[in-house]
Structure formats: structure tokens, C-alpha cells
Amino acid sequence: MNKLAVITGFGGINAAGRSSGHQAFRRLIADALNQQQRSGLLASLAQLTGQLQPWQQGAHSDEALLQASLIRGWENVPFDGNQIETRVAFKDEHGRPCWRQDHKRLAVQSAGQLPTGFDPATLYPSRHHPRGLQMAVYGASDALGCLGMDWEKIRQHLQPDQIAVYAGSAMGQLDANGHGGMLQSALHGKRTSSKQCALGLSEMPADFINAYVLGSVGSTGSMVGACATFLYNLKVALDDIQSGRRRLVIVGNSEAPITPEIIEGYNAMTALATEANLRKLDGLSDDETPDWRRASRPFGDNCGFTLGESAQFFVLTDDELAIELGLTVHAAVGEVFVHADGHKKSISGPGVGNYITMGKAMAAARRWLGEDALKNGSFVQAHGSSTPQNRVTEAHIYAELARAFGIENWPITAVKAYVGHSIGAASADQLLFTLGSWHDGWLPGITTTDRIADDVEQRRLQFLLQHQNIDPQQMPLAFINAKGFGGNNASAFMVSPQQTHAWLREKVGRQRWHAYLEANESVREAAKVYDQQVSADQVKPRYEFGQGVIEPEQLDISDERIVVPGWQQPIML
């Protein structure tokens, strides 16, 4: 067996809550949880929303905690959707151009906002960091906690250049502390700060993780591909591990696109679900309020996508390192494929590239796991953006490929129904919830959609409109699909932890496998303790500003190796 890239930790934050411990996933299937799982979910939401003590004392209902998450109307944002500042141009009596300040109501009135009251800026010395970077610090710290082993211990098993971080955002940081503030400062009569230009760069989440979370001198960067950005980064991470260049890679994205300017930008493309169109869709009068929770309706009668904010990070290691340290294997990354659309009429319209990426992913998965796993043991985490165009074009891709590969009743789900579209982090959300499905045995249904739209191709496909209980042993294969503006298409397949364990057991032999299981017990217990401690508000994000700074004269340099202070192993040249 070739070198496997396995997921040994994950963490982050989105509209469903904290990622580690599968808490965000469990918010999606809250009505299917057992009592223990539900209690854990509620405790996690209570901690995030700052209601832990009142909730424990009975001042806040369980339902109120659940309502404080997922897609909903404006309430956890630093602006008033009814009173957005704008400027109106006019000419004075002499014909000279002038403008006056005014206010207007946003046409879009809902988004996948982080849980009510949650503000990552309050959890560490954020020093005017853009929101996307605040979320990145939280998400990467959460992923490290989920590992169940201290980062300092892990890194001593590695050479400094065997570590990499591939993370970023599709749009950069466009709020007032990033490029948005830099571009607006002169118009508002303010001084551009020394931080706005640098902190707005799209690869800055990786830079922050290296500098303030890990202290890493390894490989770094971000590959941007619109709404497929996470899978682009995942491909780079996978290639690194399979080649042996890296043994541990943190890969992820942090996207904070919920600002009035970005909302207006996407709305100008008629891409978003507006208040007026949701009313029209549901036959409501002008004074009736739409059901914001159902603003995103993948593959149903819909009117546009719903923006969401998310930061998700995954720790990938080679399988040998996971066995050596006893790290928990949550899944294996199979292969990732990226293709463009060729000549296009519209830069934002879909094309043929996604047929190629999905077709390649399916063929590769069949080679890895066999015909039966593809036909009877796989499901799709669809891009499912909730636009009229996507529902038709993406469904056609699946139907055509299901026909070509002889698949019947292929399960299709789309988690943007719950958390919205987080742009660069969207497929990271899909991967996160895929791990939850294998762990808890549920595929989340597209419950915001009452019925599949008439123009959606359904032959050979099974769009899940309700949660479906699954046996992870019989469902070893998951496909993650992403479609981005500009012709950025990416598809990947993931292999369940159950199937991955079977491969590893065969690869390392019975004796070493049992030794791994024994070592893994303490790792799993530590991850469980971390989950409980975070929910009890006893853990803060890892943020080490100005600590362990290495000066050039501290390096021990020869023509064969460089020794970096703080690392037991040298970098071999």
C-alpha cells in the first residue's frame, strides 16, 4: 500500500458551532441525537454564546440555544441590516457633482452567522485583527486540541521542514481591519492603518497559524480557487504527504464574508436569496417575514445562495506517523482533482470541468475500493449552492456519471442548507460534516427543501430530504464536490475511518496494530477531555505572540543541515 494521508485532527467554527468533538455536525441532526449527545451539543452552544451559567441554571431554554445557530436573520453582525450607510450622488445648483450620506435596508436579510454572541476577538489579544484571522486562530487551535496530543510533543518527532500549513481565504480579509478599511479610509476621512494592507492578504490565515499558533518554519501558502479553494489547498497537502516531502500538514480555510459590501457585491450578481424573492417564493405578503432558517434550499425551488462564515482546519499526517504516535484516524484522503471549464460565455456560469473532476474522482475511488463500494457504499456531499442554475447543472452531472458508472439511487446531500455558503471554506464545511456522518452514523438531510424542483434531474439519484441513518461499515466512500466562479472545479473522495483502519491493520500487522490501539486510547481520552473542557469554558485559543522568536544568529548552519532552536531534529539540506 502506498503512503496514505490520514486526517488525525480537525477543528473550527461555523454557523453550526464548534467543529471539534463533532459538535457542529450534531447541530445539523439535533433532532436525531441521543440524550448524551444532545447534552454535549447544548453545553457546547451555551459556551459559545456566553450562556453557559444561565443555561445550567435554567434561565435559557434548550430551544433558545438551538435557535442561536445555523442560518438566521441578522443579529450577530456589527451592522444594522435595516440602516446600512450609503452615499447618494447628485449635482448642486451649479451642476457640480456632490454626494450626501443616506441609509438603506439590505435586500438580503439572512446569513449563516456564527452562533449568537460568539466573538473570537474576545478570546485572545486580537489587536485589531480582521475577523477572518480571529476565526483562523480559533479554528487552528481547536484542531490542535482535537488531536489529543500536545503540539510540542508531536513536533519533536518531526524535522521542521516536514511540517506545512496551507490555508487562506478566497476573498481575503475585507472588513474594516483588512483591505475593506484600507480602501474606505480616505472616503471616511480616516488614516489608513499600518496593518490593514498586510492583514488583508488572502494567505494571511496560514501566516497567522505559523507565527502565532504553531511557531512553524515549514512550508506555507494558499492556493485560491474561488468556492473550490479548500479542495485546492487539500490537493497541495495531499501531494506533499504522498510524495514524502511533508509528514504533517494543517490545511484549511477561514472566510468571513458577511459585510454589507460583500453582500451587495454578490447581490448585484443576482446570486443571493433576497428578502423579496424569498417572499415571492413562498407566496408571502410584503409585511410577512420569510422563514430565514429555510433561506438556503439546495436542489429545491430556490432563489439564490446564502452567505456563511466559517473557519475549518484539518491535521493531515502520513499513516506511519499516525501509527507511531497513536493518533486517531478520522478518515483517509483519497485523491483530489481540479479542472477548468474551457471556453465560457459567462465567467460566473458553470461549464464542463466539473464533469471531469467528478468522473476522475469516481474512477479513482473504484480503483481504490472496488465496484461495489462505488455503487452501493458511497454518497455525495454536493456543492448545492441553492441557486436555480446550480440545482439544474450539478444534478445533471451526478445523473450522467451515475449512468456511466452504473449507480442506482446515489445518496446526495448538501450541508449549505444549514450553514450557508462560506465561499473558500465551503468544501471544508462539507468535509467536516462528512467526518460527523461516519462517526455518528447519520447523513444530514436537506431539510430546508420540501420537494426537489421540477427541473432537477433525479434519475439514478436519491436526494436526501430527511436525515438518513447509515452503517458506516457499509458506507466507506464519500465524494466532496465544489464549483467556483471562473471555472474552478474540484472533486475529491474520502475513505471512512473504518475502511482506513482495515487497510492499516493489514499494512502494519497484528502486533503493531494492537500496540497502536493501546496508544490511541490515551489520545482519544485526551481529545474527549479537551472537548469537555472547551464546553466548560476552561480552554482558550492557542495564541503565542512574540514568544520563541528565533534570531538568525541562533541558527546552527552547515553545508548539510540547519539546526533550528526548539527542534530536536535538524533540517537536512
Side-chain angles (χ1 to χ4, degrees), residues 358 378-383 394 398 410-414 477-481:
M358 273 299 298
S378 70
F379 65 93
V380 178
Q381 280 279 8
H383 181 69
E394 190 174 11
Y398 300 143
W410 204 8
I412 312 287
T413 190
L477 181 58
F479 294 95
I480 295 175
N481 193 42

Side-chain angles (χ1 to χ4, degrees), residues 382-399:
H383 181 69
S385 66
S386 186
T387 65
Q389 188 175 52
N390 172 263
R391 76 189 186 208
V392 174
T393 57
E394 190 174 11
H396 186 263
I397 293 169
Y398 300 143

Side-chain angles (χ1 to χ4, degrees), residues 273-571:
T274 65
E275 182 178 29
N277 284 339
L278 284 171
R279 283 199 182 106
K280 183 178 180 181
L281 198 63
D282 290 340
L284 303 178
S285 64
D286 291 345
D287 58 352
E288 290 182 289
T289 301
D291 183 357
W292 303 125
R293 187 75 83 198
R294 298 181 58 247
S296 177
R297 307 174 190 182
F299 302 108
D301 293 312
N302 50 40
C303 60
F305 71 80
T306 300
L307 280 170
E309 51 186 347
S310 178
Q312 303 298 333
F313 295 90
F314 301 85
V315 182
L316 272 61
T317 67
D318 62 49
D319 57 311
E320 179 62 28
L321 184 63
I323 294 292
E324 176 186 344
L325 298 181
L327 300 176
T328 300
V329 173
H330 299 281
V333 182
E335 296 186 50
V336 184
F337 300 93
V338 174
H339 281 276
D341 281 338
H343 290 297
K344 298 172 73 70
K345 294 180 180 179
S346 166
I347 198 65
S348 62
V352 300
N354 200 209
Y355 291 84
I356 301 171
T357 61
M358 273 299 298
K360 282 190 172 183
M362 293 168 70
R366 184 172 58 183
R367 289 191 292 271
W368 278 50
L369 289 95
E371 192 86 26
D372 185 64
L374 175 63
K375 289 184 176 181
N376 304 308
S378 70
F379 65 93
V380 178
Q381 280 279 8
H383 181 69
S385 66
S386 186
T387 65
Q389 188 175 52
N390 172 263
R391 76 189 186 208
V392 174
T393 57
E394 190 174 11
H396 186 263
I397 293 169
Y398 300 143
E400 285 296 294
L401 289 171
R403 176 195 57 77
F405 283 86
I407 300 175
E408 301 285 349
N409 297 318
W410 204 8
I412 312 287
T413 190
V415 295
K416 288 183 180 68
Y418 299 92
V419 296
H421 192 342
S422 54
I423 314 300
S427 44
D429 288 333
Q430 292 164 251
L431 175 54
L432 169 70
F433 296 135
T434 297
L435 300 184
S437 291
W438 278 322
H439 187 272
D440 287 349
W442 286 96
L443 288 179
I446 311 173
T447 57
T448 59
T449 298
D450 293 331
R451 57 182 293 275
I452 301 301
D454 292 336
D455 54 3
V456 171
E457 179 65 75
Q458 297 189 60
R459 57 192 168 94
R460 297 177 179 265
L461 307 179
Q462 181 188 6
F463 290 99
L464 303 180
L465 301 187
Q466 299 297 325
H467 306 324
Q468 179 171 303
N469 192 218
I470 63 169
D471 179 359
Q473 293 283 358
Q474 304 300 318
M475 192 73 76
L477 181 58
F479 294 95
I480 295 175
N481 193 42
K483 299 166 68 66
F485 292 140
N488 292 279
N489 305 283
S491 304
F493 73 89
M494 305 292 157
V495 182
S496 71
Q498 293 81 7
Q499 178 62 57
T500 306
H501 287 177
W503 286 340
L504 294 179
R505 184 167 57 246
E506 180 180 355
K507 180 179 182 180
V508 305
R510 180 176 180 181
Q511 184 175 355
R512 194 167 181 220
W513 179 252
H514 282 297
Y516 162 74
L517 292 179
E518 290 181 5
N520 182 239
E521 286 182 10
S522 61
V523 171
R524 285 183 178 273
E525 181 59 30
K528 182 179 178 181
V529 169
Y530 166 78
D531 179 42
Q532 294 169 342
Q533 288 179 335
V534 176
S535 291
D537 207 22
Q538 297 173 353
V539 178
K540 298 298 181 184
R542 179 186 176 98
Y543 181 74
E544 300 182 350
F545 177 79
Q547 300 181 33
V549 177
I550 302 170
E551 301 297 338
E553 57 270 20
Q554 295 178 272
L555 298 176
D556 181 359
I557 304 176
S558 75
D559 63 344
E560 294 182 345
R561 51 99 180 108
I562 296 177
V563 178
V564 181
W567 298 80
Q568 292 182 5
Q569 299 190 41
I571 296 174

Side-chain angles (χ1 to χ4, degrees), residues 151-159 566-569:
W151 169 246
E152 300 303 325
K153 180 178 179 180
I154 293 175
R155 75 174 193 161
Q156 297 311 330
H157 287 263
L158 301 166
Q159 297 174 19
W567 298 80
Q568 292 182 5
Q569 299 190 41

